[in-house]
């Protein structure tokens, strides 16, 4: 099967009350872990690549790894640019085999965000590629952009209809209390998502696919393993999975997960190297990291996203 766009995936997910997992990929083991889980569970999947991933692994390597995963797994897959920072990066991914791009103009003012997003949409649609825009600001760290918690801003429901209509985007990332990274809430703070804002947004743009960034749950199982093997992740806290499950049944059609994959991979590698400090074959520790990634993605597909059997 060739790469697809997320158009049909989102239509089905919206109607079916589930969401598609969008998992960040940076190397072969992560691509394999994610796609083996999705393949076995017959789940559609989105593999997303950030600017940092392209800098680390190189555009062509990532595209070819995803193409290889397609040969091995007969499921619909989207190759998506995560947090496209500018028109040129989006263009390079559109021209270079991606089927979906995000243009992240969330740090710009409303009019500038519209102008930039519209420019990307015009270029992308011409080539059959779909576009995700963002309104509202999430706290956390992504590539060079650091947004302090106090500076994070919920999406304003009054703005979404105009943004969607004037830009022509295919999906919209919103800020309702999720954030990037492994430290999403302060110690003692009760995690909460603004489902009331999501509901207001859905009323303004019924049927339109919504995206949740910063949706890792920060599995305490992996946090504990990392802690026990020399890491320092005290106070790491994520979005409770029951909240994500609730979001998946709503207008939220795409749920972004990266930090959970990092924790799963790192827990496996740390565990092997602690148990056997003499290990020096990368396959020995990377295969445990990859198995953890696969188990994590299988869990998300079945227990959080509900996308199993939907391929
Ligand atoms: O939202 C950001 C993703 O976790 C990607 O992170 O920019 O460090 O690759 P990165
Ligand atoms: P997490 O840091 O919660 O995994 O979020 C990832 C993300 O939003 C990628 O765009
Ligand atoms: Zn994100």
């Amino acid at each position: 099967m060739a790469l697809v766009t997320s158009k049909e995936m989102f239509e089905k997910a919206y109607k079916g009350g589930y969401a598609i997992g969008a998992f960040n990929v940076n190397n072969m083991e992560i691509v394999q872990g994610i796609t083996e889980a999705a393949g076995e569970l017959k789940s559609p999947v989105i593999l997303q690549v950030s600017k940092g991933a392209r800098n680390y692994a190189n555009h062509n390597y990532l595209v070819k790894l995803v193409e290889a995963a397609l040969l091995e797994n007969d499921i619909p897959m989207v190759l998506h640019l995560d947090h496209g920072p500018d028109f040129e990066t989006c263009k390079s991914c559109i021209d270079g085999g991606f089927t979906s791009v995000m243009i992240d103009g969330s740090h710009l003012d409303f009019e500038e965000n519209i102008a930039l997003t519209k420019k990307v949409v015009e270029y992308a649609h011409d080539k059959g590629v779909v576009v995700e825009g963002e309104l509202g600001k999430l706290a956390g760290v992504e590539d060079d952009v650091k947004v302090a918690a106090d500076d994070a801003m919920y999406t304003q429901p009054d703005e979404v209809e105009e943004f969607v209509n004037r830009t022509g985007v295919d999906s919209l990332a919103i800020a309702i209390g999720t954030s990037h990274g492994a430290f999403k809430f302060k110690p003692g703070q009760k995690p909460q998502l603004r489902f009331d804002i999501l509901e207001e947004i859905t009323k303004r743009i019924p049927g339109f696919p919504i995206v949740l960034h910063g949706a890792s749950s920060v599995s305490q199982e992996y946090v504990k393993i990392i802690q026990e093997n020399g890491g320092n992740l005290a106070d790491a806290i994520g979005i409770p999975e029951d909240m994500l499950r609730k979001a998946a049944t709503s207008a939220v059609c795409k749920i972004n997960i990266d930090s959970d994959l990092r924790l799963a991979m790192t827990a496996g590698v740390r565990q092997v190297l602690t148990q056997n400090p003499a290990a020096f074959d990368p396959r020995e520790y990377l295969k445990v990291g990859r198995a953890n990634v696969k188990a994590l993605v299988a869990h998300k597909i079945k227990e959080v996203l509900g996308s199993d059997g939907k391929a």
Side-chain angles (χ1 to χ4, degrees):
M1 195 184 284
L3 283 171
V4 296
T5 75
S6 49
K7 192 171 166 31
E8 196 184 324
M9 267 186 205
F10 289 166
E11 279 167 11
K12 287 186 182 164
Y14 201 110
K15 286 193 195 113
Y18 62 93
I20 311 295
F23 300 99
N24 286 71
V25 296
N26 290 279
N27 65 15
M28 181 186 77
E29 286 76 10
I30 297 174
V31 171
Q32 289 175 328
I34 296 165
T35 54
E36 278 175 23
E40 284 174 19
L41 291 167
K42 295 279 165 254
S43 168
V45 72
I46 298 172
L47 299 170
Q48 55 186 14
V49 167
S50 68
K51 176 184 161 196
R54 287 176 96 225
N55 287 345
Y56 171 75
N58 168 305
H59 177 98
N60 287 329
Y61 277 94
L62 291 166
V63 171
K64 294 297 170 193
L65 284 173
V66 171
E67 284 175 5
L70 272 171
L71 294 175
E72 297 294 326
N73 301 279
D74 188 25
I75 48 167
M77 284 185 211
V78 172
L79 178 54
H80 173 76
L81 169 65
D82 189 29
H83 294 284
D86 47 43
F87 176 79
E88 287 66 33
T89 308
C90 292
K91 180 178 182 298
S92 160
C93 289
I94 294 163
D95 295 342
F98 283 41
T99 51
S100 174
V101 294
M102 173 190 192
I103 175 69
D104 185 351
S106 59
H107 55 287
L108 301 172
D109 74 29
F110 189 64
E111 286 299 327
E112 286 171 343
N113 190 356
I114 288 183
L116 175 61
T117 305
K118 190 168 187 280
K119 186 175 171 193
V120 172
V121 168
E122 279 165 4
Y123 190 81
H125 282 184
D126 211 35
K127 314 249 171 183
V129 170
V130 293
V131 180
E132 173 185 325
E134 178 166 340
L135 258 186
K137 259 198 258 176
L138 272 70
V141 189
E142 54 198 55
D143 276 333
D144 348 287
V145 187
K146 282 196 184 66
V147 182
D150 302 343
D151 205 22
M153 243 171 43
Y154 295 128
T155 305
Q156 295 178 34
D158 282 345
E159 290 185 346
V160 295
E161 197 179 352
E162 185 180 350
F163 184 83
V164 164
N165 289 340
R166 285 179 59 197
T167 58
V169 279
D170 303 278
S171 60
L172 181 67
I174 58 164
I176 57 166
T178 59
S179 62
H180 291 109
F183 302 88
K184 299 189 190 295
F185 300 94
K186 294 195 187 87
Q189 194 187 357
K190 197 165 167 274
Q192 68 155 10
L193 292 188
R194 292 293 301 273
F195 283 101
D196 57 324
I197 297 180
L198 173 60
E199 212 173 292
E200 280 306 313
I201 289 170
T202 309
K203 276 188 205 152
R204 309 295 213 285
I205 44 172
F208 195 80
I210 300 296
V211 178
L212 266 198
H213 281 250
S216 278
S217 296
V218 185
S219 153
Q220 289 306 304
E221 182 195 339
Y222 291 130
V223 166
K224 189 163 169 271
I225 293 172
I226 293 171
Q227 287 287 96
E228 286 169 356
N229 291 283
N232 182 11
L233 283 177
D235 302 331
I237 177 158
I239 311 293
E241 288 191 338
D242 58 338
M243 291 186 191
L244 296 170
R245 210 173 303 129
K246 181 176 167 186
T249 63
S250 73
V252 171
C253 293
K254 174 174 179 270
I255 292 190
N256 284 14
I257 296 170
D258 186 6
S259 297
D260 278 342
L261 300 172
R262 296 178 182 196
L263 293 168
M265 172 63 79
T266 303
V269 172
R270 274 194 187 268
Q271 210 167 21
V272 173
L273 292 177
T274 306
Q275 280 162 9
N276 180 9
F280 67 95
D281 182 344
R283 294 172 296 190
E284 203 180 321
Y285 50 85
L286 289 176
K287 77 176 175 198
V288 179
R290 177 175 62 191
N292 281 359
V293 166
K294 182 176 174 181
L296 176 97
V297 171
H299 167 79
K300 296 285 178 187
I301 287 173
K302 285 187 290 187
E303 309 299 337
V304 179
L305 303 158
S307 61
D308 45 323
K310 311 291 190 196

